[in-house]
């Protein structure tokens, strides 16, 4: 019993667990009994698993190939702890995804919510196209996504830069102020600044070379 809903899980040696959540204990028990009966008859599909188990496989096999792997692993672990992680792929529908979207938007912004949905969608896409999972469609594919916020356009005004740098100077971190000054002068992203190496800094020609940026290309920054 979790938050007023009942989750039943059936395990069979050599296959992923089958899990489903119900609003009543009686329905959960009835589903568990029927699933156990199917297992005895050989109808327990090895291709079915919970969304949590799918995401964990995705994190082990796909995520390590990405530049954003550290952030994505964190997102996977967060999703795995959510109620939606306990739903099996055979029972996962757009209805559950939409409910997760609406729940998520109560605590995070559209960007974070869309990142979760994109991760779930890509994991299911890989499962269908490369891992042999039998699903009629990707339940995230046609889901309505929350609109992305407009990009920020505000710039420093008045004495804001002076006060900002004064606060940085008061920090116990001696690198904070020069980092912020460089960010203001170059408009480089945080990851680009923190990833700088001396081999890519050309002081005599007054530029730095970024071999790999967010969009996958390189660029020189004066």
């Amino acid at each position: 019993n979790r938050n007023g809903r009942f989750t039943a899980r059936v395990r069979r040696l050599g296959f992923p667990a089958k899990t489903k959540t119900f609003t009543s204990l009686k329905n959960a028990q009835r589903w568990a009994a029927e699933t156990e009966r199917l297992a005895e008859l050989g109808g327990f599909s090895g291709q079915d698993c919970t969304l949590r188990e799918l995401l964990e496989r995705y994190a082990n096999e796909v995520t390590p190939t990405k530049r954003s792997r550290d952030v994505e692993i964190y997102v996977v672990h967060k999703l795995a702890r959510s109620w939606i992680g306990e739903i099996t792929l055979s029972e996962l529908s757009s209805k559950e995804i939409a409910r997760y979207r609406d729940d998520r938007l109560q605590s995070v912004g559209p960007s974070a919510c869309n990142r979760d949905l994109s991760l779930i969608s890509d994991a299911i896409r890989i499962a269908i196209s490369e891992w042999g999972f039998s699903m009629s469609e990707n339940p995230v594919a046609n889901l309505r996504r929350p609109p992305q916020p407009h990009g920020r356009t505000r710039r420093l005004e008045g004495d804001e830069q002076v006060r900002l740098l004064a606060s940085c100077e008061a920090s116990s971190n001696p690198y904070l102020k020069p980092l912020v000054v460089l960010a203001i002068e170059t408009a480089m992203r945080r990851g680009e600044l923190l990833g700088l190496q001396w081999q890519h800094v050309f002081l005599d020609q007054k530029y730095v070379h970024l071999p790999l940026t967010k969009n996958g290309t390189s660029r020189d920054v004066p």
Side-chain angles (χ1 to χ4, degrees):
N1 184 356
R2 182 182 299 176
N3 298 324
R5 295 171 64 85
F6 298 88
T7 299
R9 171 170 291 185
V10 177
R11 299 178 184 272
R12 187 184 185 193
L13 187 63
F15 294 95
K18 288 182 72 69
T19 305
K20 191 173 181 181
T21 302
F22 300 85
T23 55
S24 76
L25 177 61
K26 181 178 292 186
N27 286 341
Q29 292 171 331
R30 183 181 296 117
W31 176 86
E34 177 63 17
T35 303
E36 289 174 343
R37 186 183 71 82
L38 288 174
E40 289 297 322
L41 297 175
F44 194 93
S45 173
Q47 287 188 337
D48 199 13
C49 66
T50 63
L51 179 61
R52 174 181 58 79
E53 290 165 333
L54 175 66
L55 289 173
E56 287 173 349
R57 178 176 177 181
Y58 184 89
N60 289 330
E61 298 184 23
V62 180
T63 299
T65 65
K66 300 183 179 181
R67 293 181 58 211
S68 58
R69 52 188 173 273
D70 293 338
V71 174
E72 188 163 283
I73 287 175
Y74 170 79
V75 176
V76 167
H77 289 165
K78 194 171 186 65
L79 279 166
R81 294 193 299 269
S82 170
W83 60 266
I84 198 171
E86 298 302 319
I87 299 178
T88 58
L89 297 185
S90 61
E91 301 295 334
L92 188 64
S93 69
S94 296
K95 181 180 179 181
E96 281 80 23
I97 300 291
R99 184 161 73 90
Y100 173 80
R101 175 201 61 202
D102 296 341
D103 288 350
R104 190 79 170 115
L105 286 172
Q106 298 299 313
S107 56
V108 303
S111 296
C113 181
N114 281 328
R115 181 180 59 201
D116 289 1
L117 296 177
S118 294
L119 177 59
I120 295 172
S121 180
D122 196 50
I124 293 174
R125 181 185 65 81
I126 293 292
I128 296 173
S129 63
E130 298 186 16
W131 296 340
F133 280 65
S134 299
M135 297 181 68
S136 58
E137 62 178 3
N138 187 333
V140 190
N142 297 317
L143 193 72
R144 179 171 51 87
R145 300 288 187 99
Q148 290 287 101
H150 296 296
R152 299 188 187 99
T153 58
R154 188 185 183 284
R155 299 187 63 83
L156 294 171
E157 299 175 352
D159 66 341
E160 288 180 336
Q161 180 169 329
V162 174
R163 292 189 290 116
L164 172 63
L165 296 181
S167 296
C168 292
E169 199 163 38
S171 170
S172 59
N173 184 347
Y175 299 106
L176 181 58
K177 182 181 177 181
L179 185 71
V180 171
V181 169
L182 191 58
I184 292 172
E185 294 296 328
T186 64
M188 290 168 61
R189 299 182 177 94
R190 179 180 60 181
E192 295 169 346
L193 289 164
L194 298 178
L196 274 180
Q197 298 182 18
W198 279 113
Q199 61 181 315
H200 299 135
V201 178
F202 302 92
L203 293 177
D204 56 335
Q205 297 172 281
K206 299 181 179 179
Y207 78 93
V208 295
H209 176 68
L210 303 178
L212 187 61
T213 61
K214 184 178 181 180
N215 59 14
T217 61
S218 62
R219 81 172 191 272
D220 294 336
V221 181

